[in-house]
Amino acid sequence: MGNDLSQAQARINALLDDNSFVELQSLVTSRNTDFNLDAKKEPSDGVIIGHGLVDGTLVFVFSQNADVLGGTIGEMHAKKILSVYDMALKVGAPVIGFIDCGGVRLQESFDALEALGSVIERAADVKGVIPQLICVAGNCGGGLSVLPALADFTFMVDGAKLFINSPDTISGNSSDKCDTSSATFQFEEAGTVDMHGSLAEVVSSMRQVISMIPNDIVEASDDLNRAADGLEGKLTDAAAVATELADNRQFVELKAGFAKEMVTGLIKLDGVTIGVVGNREVDGEAVLSAAGCEKAADFVDLCDMYEIPVLSITNVAAFKSCTCQEKRLPRALSQMTQRFVDASVPKINLITKQGYGTPYVLMNSKSLGADLVYAFDSTSVGAMEASKAAKILADNGTDAAAIEKDYAELQDSALTAAAHGHIDRIVSMADARKYIIAGFEMFF
């Protein structure tokens, strides 16, 4: 067993429970004989497959082996990966893949291209049926980069490469100037990667996500009536709110480096997996952006596919304003709106600090189909901030201050919104966890 083969196996061993891995089809070799490919029959044909356990949960795994024919994809290599999907489908278990690939196997030409296509087709076909976790652990270039993008959860080891075109082939660019294939770029700029780090860090994140993937509802180890502490200091960041509400204060944030003004992730509430989508103030602004809405749309779609209830944590006052947003934001808003409206899972909206104008409406409001809407008595909800509304409503500057005061009391109040039926209940911050759990439990 060569060093890189050990690396391919080591990735599996690092992820799975000790001594739980069962390798399958280890004796498979390439059937192609062109270009002397049969002179050295390589066992495993560049990919290790099998099944094992993650904290007792059955998973199916493939791990490409760059030491064998560069980990390139050929006919038999692809068939082994397809067999992993077939077995996982039969028992409803997650598929986990470690990518470390030199691309399509040139010696097999069209057969290799069709083999790659068959793997991509299968990944697309099972999306929403069985969870897919893909970790880019080495090279992943060209058309193969579609696979991690199709996955439900995507991870990347620092030092690995993920690209359509390598950085040095992009006109006017070089890897020294901007390494578009790096984990940092894919995490922060492209938004393809949910989490990155060392192999140990990535594997830890993968195990955490697998523990959140819904199977049976587990008995909660946290008191459902536990008071939420210190929320008043956390209202500007949905991630901080979600962490405080979650069982054992555990929040798994996804794509945290991308479009930071929108938060997506998973928590458990009284043992039930809940998807969280919410707003985060960046540089003091509570806005909806195109990238943030696309991120939210994809996440709500993921939750709907796997029947994960959605908790939106709303704190928004405006649309992001620039020329780029004018090009992209309407379409992105429509995508997010469509996902919220189409989602058939239970949906609860918690308005924390403020909810103004159409941005508030599009963040899973009552009119968009939220099953329950909660707010705090300090929450501001309305068509516009009182100071801005006063400037429009005042005939002249002399009565603006009085109008602002009246508008804030009459039209910017969660109490008024509740009186008009747009908010179901005003809750205290300490009781927020208890009421949200009770709200979701109505639907089970």
Side-chain angles (χ1 to χ4, degrees), residues 399-428:
D399 57 351
I403 289 176
E404 180 177 343
K405 181 175 180 293
D406 290 343
Y407 196 91
E409 291 176 0
L410 297 172
Q411 296 293 343
D412 268 7
S413 161
L415 295 170
T416 302
H420 292 190
H422 306 304
I423 292 172
D424 292 294
R425 188 177 184 96
I426 304 295
V427 299
S428 70

Side-chain angles (χ1 to χ4, degrees), residues 194-206:
D194 287 296
M195 299 170 183
H196 74 99
S198 66
L199 177 63
E201 290 169 333
V202 165
V203 161
S204 175
S205 296
M206 293 173 81

